[in-house]
C-alpha cells in the first residue's frame, strides 16, 4: 500500500514546482519528477510531439519542455491555489498571459512526480 503524503509536503512540492518554472531552471523542474514520469497536455501535439498528447520519461520531458521554454521566453506562473489529496497536488496558476491553468501532479512513495496533466479552461 502506498504511503500518504502530508498536505504540507504536497503543498511545498507545488510551490517548489512553480518556483522552479519561474527560475526557468529545467533541471530543477525535472528533479521533481520520477525517471518514468508521464505528462499529458494539449500543448504536446501543438509543439510537434506525440499526437496522443502524452510524453513518457524524463528525457522526453526534457526535450518537450526545453522546446516550450525556448518558445516562451517570458514564461511566468503566478500561484493562485494548491489542492491536495493523499497522493497528488493540483496547482492552480495563471501563466504570463493571465490564462488560468490547473496542473495535476501525482506523486509516488518517494515524493517524486510520476504523472502530470495540464488542464486548460474550455473556450
Amino acid at each position: 500500500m502506498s504511503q500518504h503524503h502530508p498536505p504540507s509536503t504536497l503543498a511545498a512540492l507545488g510551490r517548489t514546482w512553480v518556483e522552479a518554472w519561474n527560475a526557468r531552471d529545467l533541471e530543477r523542474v525535472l528533479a521533481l519528477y520520477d525517471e518514468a514520469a508521464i505528462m499529458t497536455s494539449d500543448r504536446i501535439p501543438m509543439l510537434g510531439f506525440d499526437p496522443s498528447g502524452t510524453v513518457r520519461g524524463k528525457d522526453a520531458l526534457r526535450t518537450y519542455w526545453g522546446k516550450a521554454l525556448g518558445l516562451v521566453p517570458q514564461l511566468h506562473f503566478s500561484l493562485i491555489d494548491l489542492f491536495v489529496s493523499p497522493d497528488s497536488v493540483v496547482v492552480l496558476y495563471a501563466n504570463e498571459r493571465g490564462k488560468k491553468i490547473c496542473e495535476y501532479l501525482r506523486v509516488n512513495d518517494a515524493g517524486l512526480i510520476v504523472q502530470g496533466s495540464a488542464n486548460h479552461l474550455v473556450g
Side-chain angles (χ1 to χ4, degrees), residues 102-113:
C102 276
E103 191 96 18
Y104 165 79
L105 304 171
R106 188 167 61 84
V107 300
N108 61 14
D109 289 352
L112 294 171
I113 299 164

Side-chain angles (χ1 to χ4, degrees), residues 16-33 61-62 65-66 69-70 72-73 75 77:
T16 300
W17 184 88
V18 169
E19 289 162 7
W21 277 114
N22 287 342
R24 300 182 61 82
D25 188 340
L26 189 50
E27 291 307 314
R28 190 172 153 204
V29 173
L30 286 163
L32 303 174
Y33 286 76
L61 284 174
R62 183 179 286 110
W65 283 333
L69 277 172
V72 190
L75 179 136
F77 297 165

